[in-house]
């Protein structure tokens, strides 16, 4: 009698061979992320440099400054996308995946990603790890609370018109919505209380807050005055003097004045403060020196081409991503988010650096972004992933007719 064939084994997410391959995808190093950082800074440098060169050309050609308006608008959009990409690299650092070396992971993330966009890595980490443990939980997910405070937590499903109006057009037509999102996100502090590690053991004292505000105001005011005087040596000496005063204060301030999280950072909070004022002092002093040496309004360039995007296009792209990654989803492991296959421009600006493979990331958050596509292919071999994972194709419109998968708008709306 011929032997009966054994049925093919059905793989699951807990299969030892699957988990072994996932573990291989978790490997990080101290080299790979330098490429991604260099790529983002090259892009930002080209946009900023090209825009400022265009301003110089207009001035030299004695053309109307009205020509600068469309170029500036394009630059603001592109720079906002670049800023979100920097923030996404901090997302890697929040999971200790930017670099294998923990100290290098923290320092590079602060100096090259978070300080430029006025954030800090560890405060973001505490919020983000809480989001991973309690995705879409209205009581415990820090992202849910932050979005509620900024006015961007919507009830889904909604009509297509309401989705386009509230999530897209209203954000563009009234810049205050994006600005509010940026300010709430920048100032939001996770403190979920006892019973959870996502809490603060001590909040920053008001004295520390006032000193930091006074330091920045004093630095900006002094630099502006010294630029008017036109003295390079005095500008350098005073900048160093103000910086030394700030470093001395933060080095000697009582420990109880500093905030302290239950989840500890690899960098002492005192060190973080000193690095942050050092960064801000270097940037503002560089702007002053460039203004003095070139006679060009570099302070205006900094405001228009860096600060304005932070409160507008950067926030807008973050909103477009954050709303739909978990909107109209539940709290279950395989259905709290999705995989997004959308146009490459939308991936670049809205779902950059692995955010398009958001479900694989939530399932195995220690896999670096450059391995998430491989992880998705690996998980697709399992029965429960194939059955429950939602693949999205297209943000507003499907890439083909008839569509094989829902669009983002399909998932968020009720009138399909």
């Amino acid at each position: 009698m011929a032997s009966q064939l054994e049925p093919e084994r059905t793989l699951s997410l807990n299969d030892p061979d699957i988990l072994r391959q996932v573990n291989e995808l978790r490997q990080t190093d101290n080299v790979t992320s330098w490429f991604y950082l260099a790529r983002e800074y090259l892009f930002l440098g080209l946009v900023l440099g090209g825009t400022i060169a265009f301003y110089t050309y207009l001035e030299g050609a004695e053309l109307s400054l009205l020509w600068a308006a469309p170029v500036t608008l394009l630059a603001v959009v592109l720079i906002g996308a670049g800023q979100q990409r920097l923030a996404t690299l901090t997302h890697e650092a929040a999971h200790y995946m930017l670099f294998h070396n923990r100290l290098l992971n923290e320092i590079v993330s602060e100096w090259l990603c978070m300080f430029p966009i006025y954030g800090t890595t560890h405060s973001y980490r505490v919020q983000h790890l809480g989001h991973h443990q309690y995705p879409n939980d209205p009581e415990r997910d820090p992202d849910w609370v932050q979005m509620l405070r900024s006015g961007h937590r919507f009830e889904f499903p909604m009509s297509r018109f309401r989705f386009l109006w509230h999530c897209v057009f209203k954000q563009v037509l009234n810049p205050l919505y994006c600005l509010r999102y940026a300010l709430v996100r920048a100032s939001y502090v996770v403190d979920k209380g006892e019973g959870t590690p996502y809490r603060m053991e001590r909040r920053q004292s008001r004295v520390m807050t006032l000193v930091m505000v006074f330091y920045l105001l004093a630095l900006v005011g002094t630099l502006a005055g010294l630029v008017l005087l036109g003295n390079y040596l005095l500008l350098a000496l005073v900048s160093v003097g103000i910086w030394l005063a700030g470093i001395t204060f933060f080095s000697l301030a009582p420990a109880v004045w500093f905030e302290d999280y239950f989840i500890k950072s690899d960098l002492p909070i005192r060190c973080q403060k000193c690095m942050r004022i050092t960064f801000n002092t270097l940037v503002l002093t560089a702007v002053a020196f460039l203004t003095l040496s070139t006679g060009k309004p570099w302070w205006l360039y900094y405001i228009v081409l860096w600060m304005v995007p932070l409160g507008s296009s950067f926030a807008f792209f973050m909103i477009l991503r954050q709303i739909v990654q978990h909107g109209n989803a539940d709290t279950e492991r395989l259905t709290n988010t999705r995989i997004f296959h959308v146009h490459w421009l939308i991936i670049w600006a809205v779902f950059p650096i692995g955010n398009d493979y958001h479900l694989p990331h939530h399932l195995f958050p220690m896999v670096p972004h450059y391995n998430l596509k491989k992880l998705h292919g690996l998980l697709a071999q399992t029965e429960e992933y194939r059955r429950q994972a939602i693949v999205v194709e297209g943000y507003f419109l499907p890439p083909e007719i008839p569509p094989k998968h829902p669009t983002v708008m399909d998932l968020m709306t009720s009138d399909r």
Side-chain angles (χ1 to χ4, degrees), residues 68-125:
V71 173
T72 301
L73 179 61
L74 177 61
V76 166
V77 171
L78 294 176
I79 291 167
Q83 290 169 335
Q84 194 199 182
R85 295 176 70 84
L86 290 183
T88 306
L89 287 171
T90 285
H91 170 259
E92 295 290 290
H95 288 286
Y96 303 103
M97 299 185 300
L98 191 64
F99 293 100
H100 182 72
N101 182 282
R102 295 279 285 263
L103 188 59
L104 182 66
N105 184 82
E106 299 299 292
I107 292 175
V108 173
S109 176
E110 296 286 50
W111 278 83
L112 298 183
C113 300
M114 286 306 269
F115 288 167
I117 60 174
Y118 292 88
T120 58
T121 300
H122 191 64
S123 60
Y124 168 72
R125 174 181 291 124

Side-chain angles (χ1 to χ4, degrees), residues 143-395:
D143 279 14
W144 182 288
V145 177
Q146 174 256 310
M147 294 283 280
L148 186 64
R149 290 184 183 178
S150 69
H152 293 88
R153 174 55 60 186
F154 302 112
E155 291 293 330
F156 292 105
M158 58 173 59
S159 70
R160 288 176 178 264
F161 173 80
R162 284 176 55 82
F163 176 79
L164 289 172
W165 173 248
H166 287 290
C167 302
V168 183
F169 296 129
K170 190 166 73 171
Q171 309 301 322
V172 175
L173 295 174
N174 188 345
L176 292 179
Y177 286 106
C178 286
L179 180 59
R180 182 182 179 185
Y181 173 91
L183 292 175
V184 169
R185 188 169 181 85
S187 61
Y188 179 63
V189 176
V190 178
D191 191 5
K192 303 306 291 183
E194 295 299 324
T196 168
Y198 314 110
R199 69 179 189 271
M200 301 194 78
E201 294 190 329
R202 182 177 60 246
R203 286 181 172 268
Q204 178 175 280
S205 74
R206 292 184 178 180
V207 174
M208 184 66 70
T209 303
L210 289 173
V211 168
M212 293 177 68
V213 171
F214 176 78
Y215 179 88
L216 282 176
L217 292 176
L219 179 64
V220 171
T222 303
L223 290 175
L226 292 172
V227 167
L228 293 176
L229 286 176
N231 191 315
Y232 288 94
L233 179 59
L234 190 60
L235 178 61
L237 291 175
V238 172
S239 296
V240 171
I242 293 175
W243 172 75
L244 286 174
I247 291 295
T248 301
F249 170 81
F250 286 112
S251 299
L252 300 178
V256 293
W257 286 5
F258 295 90
E259 70 269 25
D260 188 28
Y261 290 95
F262 180 82
I263 299 175
K264 303 303 179 186
S265 170
D266 288 81
L267 286 174
I269 186 63
R270 193 184 298 271
C271 178
Q272 293 176 37
K273 298 291 187 187
C274 289
M275 289 196 310
R276 194 171 187 181
I277 68 162
T278 299
F279 177 88
N280 290 336
T281 304
L282 287 172
V283 169
L284 293 173
T285 302
V287 170
F289 265 105
L290 286 168
T291 301
L292 183 57
S293 61
T294 65
K296 305 294 183 183
W298 282 85
W299 58 272
L300 184 60
Y301 298 158
Y302 182 68
I303 293 173
V304 172
L305 298 178
W306 194 257
M307 299 301 294
V308 169
L310 278 177
S312 57
S313 55
F314 166 71
F316 179 63
F317 292 134
M318 291 279 287
I319 291 166
L320 285 182
R321 174 180 60 79
Q322 198 171 6
I323 285 176
V324 304
Q325 279 183 328
H326 294 278
N328 204 21
D330 55 33
T331 60
E332 298 301 317
R333 185 185 184 203
L334 284 163
T335 51
N336 65 68
T337 186
R338 301 101 181 185
I339 302 98
F340 298 89
H341 293 163
V342 294
H343 193 277
W344 70 268
L345 275 174
I346 297 180
I347 290 178
W348 178 80
V350 180
F351 300 104
I353 309 178
N355 271 296
D356 47 340
Y357 289 96
H358 205 53
L359 177 58
H361 167 67
H362 264 261
L363 290 173
F364 296 99
M366 294 301 290
V367 173
H369 70 91
Y370 43 83
N371 283 336
L372 287 178
K373 185 176 182 179
K374 294 179 183 177
L375 176 62
H376 170 65
L378 175 64
L379 299 180
Q381 299 177 30
T382 67
E383 190 273 335
E384 63 261 53
Y385 189 84
R386 290 194 304 270
R387 177 167 46 85
Q388 298 185 58
I390 298 175
V391 175
V392 179
E393 289 191 343
Y395 200 102

